[in-house]
Amino acid sequence: MMTVQEVTAVAKTAASYTYDYTEAYIDIFIIYFILGTILQIIFKYLERYLGRHKLRGTVV
């Protein structure tokens, strides 16, 4: 598993060879955006799945 700092460091290292930092930072943005979207969809599904009991009401 890679952390945010590791991904950023890899991008900076790659950019230092080509002196194209804009492309590296755009790549990082795309990766973070895709991962964030996937996690948001997963948690949205889990919230709906695990929250179904609230719709039925609780029996005391």
Side-chain angles (χ1 to χ4, degrees):
M1 176 172 262
M2 293 184 70
T3 64
V4 173
Q5 292 175 342
E6 291 171 345
V7 173
T8 306
V10 169
K12 284 183 180 180
T13 303
S16 68
Y17 288 116
T18 61
Y19 298 106
D20 193 8
Y21 289 93
T22 306
E23 182 180 345
Y25 287 122
I26 289 173
D27 291 343
I28 292 172
F29 170 75
I30 291 170
I31 291 169
Y32 291 155
F33 186 78
I34 290 171
L35 288 176
T37 302
I38 290 170
L39 287 174
Q40 183 179 7
I41 291 169
I42 290 170
F43 282 115
K44 185 177 183 180
Y45 172 76
L46 285 173
E47 184 178 3
R48 286 184 182 173
Y49 179 74
L50 297 173
R52 288 189 294 175
H53 70 282
K54 291 181 180 181
L55 296 176
R56 296 183 196 147
T58 56
V59 177
V60 179

